[in-house]
Amino acid sequence: MRIESPREFERLGALRVYGLQKVYELDAGPETPENASDRDVVRVVPTEALHAIESEMAIVVPVRNERLKLIEGVLVGIPHNCLVIVVSNSPREPIDKFYLEEEAISNYARFTQKKILVVHQKDPHIAAAFAEAGYTDILGSDELVRNGKAEGMIMGSLLAKLMGRKYVGFVDSDNYFPGAVNEYVKEYAAGFHINGGDFSMVRISWHSKPKVVENSLYFAKWGRSSRQTNQVLNRLLGHHSGFETEIVKTGNAGEHALSVDLAMAIDYATGYAVETFHYVHMLEKYGGLLEGGESANDMHRLVKISQIESRNPHLHEVKGDEHVDDMIAASLSTIYHSRLCPESLRAEIEDELNRRNYLKDGEQLAPMRIYKSLDRMDFDVFTDRAAPALKVVGEKSKKPATV
Ligand code: GDP
Ligand code: CO
């Protein structure tokens, strides 16, 4: 891949947010050119380097009631060396949709020898493993993992660690273009290659999202929700750095990847807020701005966020109304309720939500549910309890399967 070096970054404490990087070539050849240097304005990441990182990466595919053809297309796009972790929350009654998914995925894995772990979000063994390892927040009143994409992502990240991967990335299962999925994963790998380190995150900004407007295709760049979220996040950063900035372009980036160490260290918000909260929380945790925040030790390591602009148009299943106002409110709520949010920005958020008629006079923006980081649970206990229930299809089973 041929990709622009980040031209600028904002630094707060241990956190570095790099500017958006453009992709110039999806495939720049197998080897590093002889005259290449780390200081080049446009960098070559050779195919070999991408493959090496892909072998250390797990890709989590959250599924809830998607069409099998779409899920298969997504699997087709994921590079072979990645371990795929499908976390499904599809209904098992009256028709066992999960069974159909498992069957289709196993078949696919047989043809491709791709390593795929398929789990159900409501798997009682995994729920029991969470309980015994002391991470009960994620369990609902029925003692199973709660519904939600964020909960599926948290579960997937933990399984990526259990399977020994160094990086974990996410791609939605309702993407229409295998080529786009393939590109996202290559960009995750390129991001880690360029801005490596143990605490690193890569976020994708879609180049465009095709829509039909007046009977012809229109390639929209920014949705209302991303525009709003990015603006408020930039205000937050600017407030603390003292310099106005436009660095954040990926406040709502569903397509993202991070090192497993970082995935274990950060807190998570639920629902639409999960991606925005990454920024808010990492700023709280690593920005060096809060009294009694992280210890000096944590401040020493550099935590990096890379943002890469993908080239394929993004097209996913349309599921009716997009609830733009709910998305905006959820994202802004994580900023509003942060200890880092200054009064002036709080007032602006309130004004914005009033303007959208989202908040009535005197109403307060509800806080989102937050899950504390996974590194406070007993990982060995989780592994002992959960591992026997896991079966990777596409490779000869090393562990006995109990389900
Ligand atoms: P949107 O793309 O933001 O409009 O949201 P989607 O409804 O497409 O959901 C994003 C992805 O998460 C899709 O791949 C869904 O199948 C998946 N998903 C949605 N809800 C859940 C859930 O409760 N658990 C899991 N594991 N995945 C979910
Ligand atoms: Co979708």
Side-chain angles (χ1 to χ4, degrees), residues 62-64 66 87 89 121 147-149 172-174 316 319:
V63 177
R64 184 174 201 171
E66 303 293 352
V87 181
N89 196 19
Q121 196 155 327
N147 291 327
K149 180 187 169 190
D172 284 355
S173 54
D174 64 342
H316 65 151
K319 292 161 185 150

Side-chain angles (χ1 to χ4, degrees), residues 57-210:
M57 184 151 47
I59 295 295
V60 174
V61 183
V63 177
R64 184 174 201 171
N65 236 349
E66 303 293 352
R67 291 186 283 164
L68 292 177
K69 284 261 188 281
L70 280 184
I71 303 176
E72 186 182 325
V74 169
L75 298 178
V76 167
I78 300 174
H80 185 82
N81 291 345
C82 298
L83 167 72
V84 182
I85 303 178
V86 176
V87 181
S88 171
N89 196 19
S90 298
R92 310 206 64 166
E93 284 172 350
I95 298 168
D96 194 345
K97 286 267 181 70
F98 179 63
Y99 176 77
L100 299 177
E101 288 164 8
E102 261 190 317
E103 197 183 46
I105 295 170
S106 304
N107 244 332
Y108 170 79
R110 229 191 339 269
F111 293 136
T112 54
Q113 308 281 296
K114 213 187 190 69
K115 291 190 276 306
I116 310 179
L117 177 62
V118 187
V119 295
H120 198 272
Q121 196 155 327
K122 303 288 179 183
D123 185 322
H125 298 95
I126 297 180
F130 270 117
E132 282 175 33
Y135 196 84
T136 49
D137 292 2
I138 202 166
L139 305 177
S141 52
D142 57 359
E143 291 178 15
L144 297 175
V145 171
R146 292 174 198 272
N147 291 327
K149 180 187 169 190
E151 286 75 358
M153 288 165 60
I154 293 172
M155 197 163 147
S157 304
L158 198 56
L159 294 175
K161 178 173 165 75
L162 190 155
M163 300 301 295
R165 295 284 161 146
K166 185 171 175 202
Y167 304 104
V168 56
F170 302 90
V171 287
D172 284 355
S173 54
D174 64 342
N175 197 311
Y176 279 113
F177 296 148
V181 170
N182 186 258
E183 184 188 350
Y184 299 146
V185 178
K186 299 275 169 209
E187 283 157 359
Y188 297 160
F192 291 127
H193 179 81
I194 293 176
N195 294 327
D198 293 337
F199 274 61
S200 183
M201 177 182 272
V202 183
R203 304 168 73 93
I204 304 291
S205 167
W206 307 323
H207 183 265
S208 64
K209 206 171 167 174

